[in-house]
Amino acid sequence: MPVEFLGIAATNEGSEVTPRSGASFDKKYTRELARAHEDHGWDRVLFAYGSGSPDPSPAAAYVAAHTETLQILVAHRPNVSYPTFAAKTFATLDRISDGRLAVHFITGGNDHEQQREGDFLTKDERYARTREAIRIIKKAWTSHEPFDHEGTHYRFNDFVSDTFPVQQPRPRVSFGGSSPAAYAAGGAEADIYCLWGEPLARTAEQIASVKAAAQAAGRTDTPRIQVAFRPIIAPTEELAWEKAHRTLARIKARRAAAPASRRHPLNNPENAGSRRLLAVAAEGERHDRALWTPTAAETGGAGNSTALVGTPETVAQALLDYYDLGVEILSARGYDLLDDAIDFGRHVIPIVREEVAKRDAARTAA
């Protein structure tokens, strides 16, 4: 089966280890980072969403205009725009990019972050709204006849778009989460289901939950699975682990210098995904072939935060372990975003692609 690589489309050089040096949207850096991914074997990049961050849709349009083949994944929270408007926005982006768009729907795992933009629904209500929004957007992308909708969260009459995606029948939809409500919504609606990097056994359990949810929703197919990691690579194992501990020290220093009002709560996060990462970290620092958890523990399990540490060969083999579980999309971003994207593209992606090709050839010959 094919394997794809997803990187990050950051709009400035700031990360957990480095404060940004200028504006939140740095056109030169945004362009350089995207081109580094395109030039070094990555398939697509994610434009993340934050309540105070640059809007991912125009940022994606900017990158699409400065790249040729790099695919774009735009994160979207349904509370920030009405589904019919969002459908037109994304169809326009797919036109601008000549069919390179996918959309990642974020339900929101933190009440405070959601309330910053006027969203006071409960978490279960947010999942129901996301599921409803995805259905509307899919229909707006594909229906050439006017339609009405009267649901729990949205109501409108006689909508028909004059802006349709290049991709037929529509762009892909991705979704993430680690709670039963997330599995139910994403299992029913997602083309791609996104998980954070956990040990292999736990990842296998989550994949089974997604498949069961898809079956319960009446689907005959299942979402493709994506898993996200923070690779830390170096020419030798010793150097890689030295780099890992330097990275952890930089994360701690960066957090100590950050304003208290902007710190992610380290204890008792609201979302199931972060709680799962912290539980893994509490069980031990190292898991399986190369999974390392202190980076997750130090950041409160904030998003993609578990690391894979080792030589390019070790990290590639660790990624192949997940591929062998059924993971088809590997999401990775380093801590020094530009340099790490280049290094990972040069030294890890080719190994994984070569080994996947061997597996596929053997499977075909069997």
Side-chain angles (χ1 to χ4, degrees):
M1 59 187 175
V3 64
E4 299 178 11
F5 287 91
L6 170 69
I8 191 71
T11 58
N12 60 74
E13 82 277 34
S15 75
E16 294 94 332
V17 301
T18 306
R20 74 171 193 250
S21 60
S24 62
F25 190 91
D26 179 333
K27 289 197 296 184
K28 180 174 181 292
Y29 185 86
T30 300
R31 185 173 63 249
E32 288 179 351
L33 183 61
R35 286 178 174 169
H37 282 86
E38 184 171 59
D39 292 343
H40 292 89
W42 298 79
D43 295 288
R44 67 176 51 81
V45 288
L46 167 67
F47 294 80
Y49 190 92
S51 60
S53 302
D55 188 337
S57 291
Y62 175 75
V63 164
H66 289 86
T67 55
E68 299 294 331
T69 61
L70 187 68
Q71 298 174 55
I72 54 180
L73 175 61
V74 174
H76 173 67
R77 291 205 309 217
N79 63 296
V80 298
S81 67
Y82 209 75
T84 51
F85 178 83
K88 294 185 295 180
T89 298
F90 299 139
T92 304
L93 268 175
D94 200 52
R95 289 280 159 186
I96 290 171
S97 66
D98 295 320
R100 288 184 275 154
L101 176 76
V103 181
H104 179 63
F105 285 84
I106 301 173
T107 296
N110 181 279
D111 289 345
H112 181 231
E113 168 67 6
Q114 296 298 123
Q115 291 167 8
R116 284 171 164 164
E117 293 188 289
D119 185 6
F120 289 86
L121 296 184
T122 66
K123 188 175 179 181
D124 284 348
E125 289 171 336
R126 293 198 297 267
Y127 275 115
R129 178 183 60 194
T130 300
R131 190 168 179 174
E132 187 176 342
I134 292 173
R135 289 175 173 172
I136 293 168
I137 290 170
K138 286 179 178 177
K139 190 168 184 178
W141 280 340
T142 56
S143 176
H144 291 262
E145 299 295 329
F147 66 96
D148 302 338
H149 179 83
E150 184 166 353
T152 303
H153 299 281
Y154 303 105
R155 178 184 178 185
F156 56 85
N157 294 326
D158 203 38
F159 176 79
V160 63
S161 179
D162 192 34
T163 305
F164 293 94
V166 171
Q167 297 175 76
Q168 293 299 314
R170 57 171 176 79
R172 292 191 294 178
V173 166
S174 73
F175 185 94
S178 298
S179 66
Y183 298 142
E189 300 296 338
D191 302 301
I192 299 167
Y193 201 98
C194 308
L195 303 171
W196 290 333
E198 297 187 13
L200 291 163
R202 287 174 176 257
T203 301
E205 291 170 358
Q206 291 212 78
I207 293 173
S209 295
V210 173
K211 289 181 176 180
Q215 184 176 21
R219 291 178 61 166
T220 57
D221 64 337
T222 56
R224 298 179 71 196
I225 302 297
Q226 172 184 306
V227 179
F229 302 97
R230 307 300 292 270
I232 300 175
I233 61 173
T236 69
E237 295 293 326
E238 182 180 6
L239 290 173
W241 285 104
E242 289 177 1
K243 181 178 178 181
H245 289 287
R246 287 198 307 273
T247 299
L248 183 61
R250 293 172 68 192
I251 292 172
K252 292 179 177 180
R254 177 89 170 91
R255 286 193 57 80
S261 62
R262 296 191 180 184
R263 293 177 186 168
H264 180 86
L266 293 179
N267 299 316
N268 195 30
E270 295 174 23
N271 64 304
S274 292
R275 291 198 300 270
R276 287 178 65 98
L277 293 187
L278 291 179
V280 170
E283 292 172 3
E285 291 191 355
R286 297 175 67 167
H287 299 261
D288 301 325
R289 190 187 300 266
L291 190 69
W292 193 53
T293 63
T295 48
E298 182 61 30
T299 56
N304 176 15
S305 55
T306 49
L308 292 177
V309 182
T311 64
E313 293 77 12
T314 295
V315 170
Q317 290 301 322
L319 292 170
L320 287 162
D321 291 338
Y322 287 90
Y323 175 82
D324 291 338
L325 285 182
V327 177
E328 297 180 56
I329 302 172
L330 300 169
S331 174
R333 61 184 170 101
Y335 289 95
D336 295 298
L337 300 178
L338 181 58
D339 290 344
D340 287 347
I342 293 170
D343 286 346
F344 188 87
R346 282 177 175 168
H347 303 299
V348 178
I349 289 178
I351 298 173
V352 176
R353 290 201 191 279
E354 181 180 357
E355 290 300 319
V356 166
K358 291 178 182 178
R359 283 164 165 76
D360 289 347
R363 192 177 297 116
T364 301

